[in-house]
Amino acid sequence: MKDTPGWASPGSAPSDGQEPGASGPAGPTDRPGTAEPADQPGSAPQDTPDPQRPGSQWSKQQPPPGQWSAPADPAGSGRPAPPPPPPSPGWGTQPPPGGHGPGGFHAYGTPGYPAWGGGWGGPPPAAKPGVIPLRPLGVGEILDGAVSTMRTYWRTVLGISLTVAVVTEVLVILLQGLVLNDTSTAALDDPSATASELTRAMGEVMLSSGAVFLISLIATVAATALLTTVTSRAVLGRSVTTGEAWRDARPQVVKLFGLILLLPLIAVTIVFVGALPGILVAVFGNADGGVALAVLGGLAAGVVALWLTIRFSLASPALMLEKQGVVKSMSRSAKLVRGSWWRVFGIQLLAGIIANIISAIVVIPFTFLAAALGGEGVVGFLNGQGNNFGWTFLIISGIGSVIGSMITFPINAGVTVLLYIDQRIRREALDLELARAAGVQGYGADAGSGG
């Protein structure tokens, strides 16, 4: 009966000479209510229980083995209360004495202290000097960090976004009003149009769309580069002016535009090479088969181009923050994205969808207003009758695009920079360096000594 489980605290064992009915260890004989004649050396065991001596012997009707529990302490016995049974799995362990922080934690990895979920208070909170906690981030924290940067440092973010958006939209309006407005797309709606007319019309549409897309892409990457300094300082809880952001980005401007031009050029080249066999077949042989082959080859090449685009998507913040060259920043991006391609792709896709939805809420009303004031009316605009838009339509819709870009630029830029920082935290323990830069005292010191 001495080895019955469950009646003592975890890790302890019954004392020699102590009966199971005793709720505490054997003590001195002069302690009131604890010394029993039968417990003294040389005394004979008593066969019958004495009701006046509680706890001297258990009842004959005992519970099954493995379900023992310490008997209750009758009132007035003077015996110490029995220790509680060990906690069941899943409820965590009792925090050790002398611990600091919730649940007795000192720091991550400190010997003798529980890790995630092992203490009463859960894991210790990470340092958060700025818009994000200094630890690996979740999707919501990355999006929230981008929005918090835009909200907290709105003067700088607004100045950069407004400047880039206005310059971009002026270029687009001039391009559409002076060059692309003369593009004829009537052949696309004409069932009797010849193949040469359709090819020429499609070429003009692709040229105009590509030009607008290229300008928008340059503006997006440029805004990302200028806002990189703002976001990186926001992580440390420090503000930066527009002039400081420009002075920090200016030495890398030439390399940045080289990167901006190189990335889409690589994607376009890959798609063109994939569609080239089909184009050759269509020109020198079977036209229908060549078109089908060009489409299939273009789609396959597009998948490769998308893979490379995401793989190099962190090159811009790497170039700006690490002061690297074009090729080196692309290599750094590939290294950081390796093994996390789907995560990076999903977060950037989600951020793009959210930003574009918010932008559409702003842009669509301006587009309808521009159509109503542009001559063709809203009905004509919806029916596609207004192919050649006037300056009134372009200017009013351009104002809406500027407002929408002021929202999309900070979100996309912030998510890209925070993704870069998050990947470096996961792979290179950048959080320790950021904590030192932010002046967080003692961050990671205990963890480092315990590892």
Side-chain angles (χ1 to χ4, degrees), residues 12 14 76 129 131 147 152 166 179 218 334 399 415 422:
S12 62
V131 295
V147 175
T152 305
V166 168
V179 180
I218 293 175
I399 294 175
V415 168
D422 174 61

Side-chain angles (χ1 to χ4, degrees), residues 13-32:
S15 302
D16 294 337
Q18 185 180 3
E19 293 295 330
S23 59
T29 57
D30 58 347
R31 183 177 298 176

